[in-house]
Amino acid sequence: GQQVMQIPQYQHVQEGEDFTTYCNSSTTLSNIQWYKQRPGGHPVFLIQLVKSGEVKKQKRLTFQFGEAKKNSSLHITATQTTDVGTYFCAGDNQNFQGAQKLVFGQGTRLTINP
Amino acid sequence: GAVVSQHPSWVICKSGTSVKIECRSLDFQATTMFWYRQFPKQSLMLMATSNEGSKATYEQGVEKDKFLINHASLTLSTLTVTSAHPEDSSFYICSAPKEGLTSPLHFGNGTRLTVT
């Protein structure tokens, strides 16, 4: 079945440093979504990428979708303590009925030293 | 504010008993809801897709008789963990797409189940 691999599993940075997490799918995706889960909380949607080669920015966060629509990355510039949490990518390989079926990556847990 | 409400937030039960978890869409109708399970510091594993008015679709390896799903209305899906055992202890989270079947998911706050 479809697999979504995400690396690294953990990342610890000093506040102000940059952070990147990478996501690779075993199959071509219709779209990829990114979620953030704070410690003790539930996943919260960040962004959805649909087009091949798409790049989207949200303030200090930059999201990319690969040309082959099989990989993606999330880059955070100048991390802040509020960025702490686990970042999940989720690949959507829509079934024949058009309904989405998200497969989540393992997540990258970001901790920050203030 | 929250668009998906999940209840209870946490529950402790004895081995052999059953536990029902409710998931409600607050300001939209959800024909489809998804139930996930998450072990500590691990990813979200899709257990089943709940479909309003029809049978749920279970992922491979998930026992449908153990994890009963009912989606009787457009705003409510329930997951019942039957004859719970300690290995069922986990974080269960429901989610639903708000703007159509292919739109991003809104998650409930999750239910932490501890079976003693």
Side-chain angles (χ1 to χ4, degrees), chain A residues 2-3 13 21 29 50 59 71 77 83 90 96 108:
Chain A
Q2 179 190 355
Q3 291 186 329
V13 300
T21 173
L29 301 170
V50 179
K59 297 183 180 178
N71 58 72
T77 304
D83 296 326
F96 68 96
T108 297

Side-chain angles (χ1 to χ4, degrees), chain B residues 31-73:
Chain B
T31 57
T32 299
M33 290 184 176
F34 301 95
W35 286 95
Y36 290 87
R37 182 174 182 176
Q38 186 177 36
F39 290 103
K41 299 181 181 179
Q42 293 192 23
S43 188
L44 295 99
M45 301 301 297
L46 179 63
M47 299 176 63
T49 302
S50 174
N51 304 298
E52 188 270 335
S54 64
K55 292 182 179 180
T57 304
Y58 289 82
E59 294 301 303
Q60 190 174 9
V62 178
E63 299 178 56
K64 63 180 181 180
D65 294 331
K66 181 166 186 61
F67 298 99
L68 299 179
I69 290 174
N70 185 279
H71 196 150
S73 77

Side-chain angles (χ1 to χ4, degrees), chain A residues 12-65:
Chain A
H12 180 76
V13 300
Q14 288 289 129
E15 186 174 15
E17 292 182 339
D18 293 355
F19 159 77
T20 305
T21 173
Y22 301 90
C23 193
N24 283 285
S25 169
S26 59
T27 60
T28 301
L29 301 170
S30 59
N31 71 84
I32 195 160
Q33 300 172 26
W34 285 90
Y35 293 80
K36 176 184 178 181
Q37 185 175 24
R38 293 182 183 273
H42 61 278
V44 175
F45 171 72
L46 293 177
I47 209 147
Q48 181 180 38
L49 303 171
V50 179
K51 299 177 183 177
S52 170
E54 189 170 15
V55 178
K56 285 189 177 180
K57 291 190 176 184
Q58 286 181 351
K59 297 183 180 178
R60 295 178 293 104
L61 278 61
T62 302
F63 304 84
Q64 292 187 331
F65 200 11

Side-chain angles (χ1 to χ4, degrees), chain B residues 7-8 18-22 78-81:
Chain B
H7 178 81
S18 296
V19 174
K20 179 184 283 188
I21 302 170
E22 293 187 348
T78 60
L79 168 68
T80 301
V81 183

